[in-house]
Amino acid sequence: MFKILRREDFSPEIHLFEIDAPAVARKAQAGQFVVLRIDERGERFPLTIADWDREKGTITVVFMEVGKSTRKLATLKAGDYIANFAGPLGLPTHIENYGTVACVAGGFAVATIVPIARAMKQAGNRVISILGARTRQLIFWEERLQQWSDELIVTTDDGSYGRKALVTEPLKELMEKGGIDMVVAIGPTIMMKFAAKTTEPFGVKTIASLNPIMVDGTGMCGCCRVEAGGETKFTCVHGPDFDAHQVDWDLLMARQRTYIDQEKESLRLWQEQVEAGGKVGG
Amino acid sequence: MAEEKKPEKKKIDLNRVAMPKQEPRVRARNFNEVAQGYTHEMAIYEANRCIDCAKPGCTKGCPVGIDIPGFIRAIRNGDMPEAVRVLKAKNNLPAICGRVCPQETQCEAVCTLAKKGAPVAIGRLERYIADWELAQPPEARMKTVLPPPTGKKVAVIGSGPAGLTAAADLARMGHKVDIYETLHMAGGVLVYGIPEFRLPKAIVQAEVDYVKSLGVDIYLDSVVGRTIMVDELLQDGYHAVFLGTGAGLPMFLNIPGENYNGIYSANEWLTRTNLMKAYLFPEYDTPIRVGRRVAVIGGGNVAMDSARCALRLGAEEVTIVYRRGRAEMPARAEEVENAEEEGVIFKLLTNPKQFIGDDQGWVKAMECYEMELGEPDESGRRRPVIKQGSEFTMDVDTVVVALGTTPNPLLPSTTDGLETTRRGTVVADEETGKTSKPAVWAGGDVVTGAATVISAMGAGKRAAAAIDEYLKSLK
Ligand SMILES: Cc1cc2nc3c(=O)[nH]c(=O)nc-3n(C[C@H](O)[C@H](O)[C@H](O)COP(=O)(O)OP(=O)(O)OC[C@H]3O[C@@H](n4cnc5c(N)ncnc54)[C@H](O)[C@@H]3O)c2cc1C
Ligand SMILES: Cc1cc2nc3c(=O)[nH]c(=O)nc-3n(C[C@H](O)[C@H](O)[C@H](O)COP(=O)(O)OP(=O)(O)OC[C@H]3O[C@@H](n4cnc5c(N)ncnc54)[C@H](O)[C@@H]3O)c2cc1C
Ligand code: SF4
Ligand code: SF4
Ligand code: FES
């Protein structure tokens, strides 16, 4: 059992948990993830490690409520327990001094980008960050990203904060201006696909962190397979970072939809249960 | 206690007692155990068929060398506790082996009565005794008296049959044993692969609890090679490490279209179904997508289990597609028969060429070749060759690829000094399990590649003995 020590709410649907997991904290590196299971009946699902504290022995995750599992997770509070929490999984993001690195985060992926921007900065890179969200309420950790960025551009789709644009707009301008040696783009799949399309004509190496459906997270099931450079790869062991120009994005998006009907059904039943004042577990 | 009854040697009885089973039509739609086990009368009758050979072949056919005539004699005498004692002297997990051992190629193959076509049903008797013991109140069960602690610590990686056996033996020798397991549940393939209807999970749990009762601690969610390294374990106070990490990396066909939605590896299919209980969705959260027509590629136990799960999950038509003939299928004969009785269709001498998808990325058909058998290959089985121009198309909604597995490279690739073969297996001495790395032993599927429960247990036992010797040699 893994105890939730702290909870923070960034918006009605985006939450942070700091979890007591000393063994994971000892090893965690930027770009890795954990696989957790909330309770006896829960599914195993991955969340990126947003931060860690080796001394306190804690791992921070930030998640968005999308379906049953993430909504169920959001019903927990500080002091509650999560049944299973395994990690750190996947390969860490490859960090070296590339020169100038652009870190692009879409939505709550800012939580994933911050440790990467930090590691890139600490490795001697000049870091230019782009943080984009649908609307002002969904922006968080701006100051954290600022701390590790030489330059920070904030965008919102609706213009309620920062520049009214999609992240690909400032990214394109950076590409046109030149001087970027490497791009790390993390966010919703569709955003990563377009970020890849934006940088490709400029030949700037671009890394994306893929988010297929997973089960074990250790290379045992093959559920997380993606195609990169025409080859089949298991995201949980060969990734999650991949060369964004090599990824078959349409395949990834099709595979993410595998259980869409079941997910809807599962969520509907659960919401009925919650509304009926039933047990929130199950 | 009943007086010693001599077997009736005069006449050999060839009426092997059949295993009572659920009706095929009924069981093909539920996950309850198929084989229901002998009654007391059946067990006594079957035990009486054993002629208590002076030179019993059966014992040599058992990879862990159970005194088979001995435990059968105890059944005949009605002395169940004695039968338990004899079994457990060599086999920690009789309730499991009695159910899943390929007896027809092991102990029963070399039973004297096998020549007459009716070997004693050793596995069924073993199961009977193990179930009898599990049904006793806990205080009446066989007690294990542990020797005083030796002060030596061993880390066992993986909680499949190899790891559980090594852990139990080492604990009974007085060593402190900790098991590290990646998944959220102990048991290895016994919990994530072999389905409930063949091996109820409560039985695996009982065996895991027994191992824990010996003082073994099990750390779940511990991915060795990620969460913790083998070298760290050795530095952190463990005197020896046993690797029983199995062969959990699924193989694919590497043909076009294999990543369409609806195409599963058998590992994913079985893990969702068994470990995650997708058959109870939405009561349990993990989903699975079962189409109307399911094709399972392969001819081993894994393929049979996948096909039989598909039926139980509600598929209308389930077909095993296998590139060789029936005689070459590596699955246990009993399981092939069970699958057939339940309505699984066998399309033999057939191999997929490519998968065809719809515009949403879902598999909708499979183009196959017909095959014929040529010269024998390295495995001694006749090599399947493509019949030129024989392509045909099968409509499918779901495909399960059950071609077999190799060891997961995660641990070997993160452990310095551990020699592996080209096939990804860990190099270990056959007798002792000693690897190329000091203080590290290995056994089970990680060494042999995918094999059997009992061979993994045998390897765990031999390694435990070798580790014990090594620990004694330490000052
Ligand atoms: C390596 C990796 C890191 C991730 N990091 C984060 C993170 O830091 N924060 C965050 O909020 N989300 C993260 N995700 C996505 C998160 O795992 C899914 O949002 C979550 O599993 C959805 O579950 P659900 O039941 O709430 O929604 P569902 O209704 O089940 O699904 C909604 C969508 O989420 C995706 N999904 C469903 N099940 C899984 C699964 N088992 N594994 C992966 N994706 C799934 C599917 O595309 C699905 O359409 C990550 C995914 C991966 C692969
Ligand atoms: C579907 C199926 C049906 C089968 N049917 C039969 C049958 O009827 N009869 C029979 O005799 N055999 C059968 N087998 C084969 C048998 O199950 C295996 O040979 C046996 O389980 C091997 O035991 P093991 O202990 O070596 O490995 P496993 O049972 O594979 O256990 C290995 C364990 O190690 C864990 N692990 C792996 N890597 C790590 C790591 N890095 N850190 C921590 N833990 C790790 C795994 O999660 C797993 O729990 C079947 C196999 C399958 C898949
Ligand atoms: S363990 Fe397996 S091989 Fe040995 S006697 Fe029992 S069933 Fe036969
Ligand atoms: S070989 Fe067969 S008949 Fe002989 S002792 Fe063994 S089980 Fe009994
Ligand atoms: S999640 Fe199972 S192999 Fe990657």
Side-chain angles (χ1 to χ4, degrees), chain A residues 213-225 234-237, chain B residues 250:
Chain A
I213 296 175
M214 293 190 173
V215 183
D216 60 303
T218 65
M220 184 267 263
C221 73
C223 168
C224 63
R225 59 200 199 275
F234 289 7
T235 304
C236 68
V237 286

Side-chain angles (χ1 to χ4, degrees), chain A residues 245-275:
Chain A
H245 299 150
Q246 305 244 318
V247 172
D248 183 338
W249 293 101
D250 296 335
L251 176 77
L252 175 62
M253 285 190 272
R255 288 186 64 83
Q256 283 169 339
R257 286 191 299 269
T258 303
Y259 298 107
I260 217 146
D261 299 341
Q262 281 94 333
E263 283 156 4
K264 277 191 200 136
E265 173 68 2
S266 178
L267 182 60
R268 190 185 58 78
L269 286 170
W270 185 71
Q271 280 172 329
E272 272 177 20
Q273 238 182 21
V274 173
E275 272 154 33

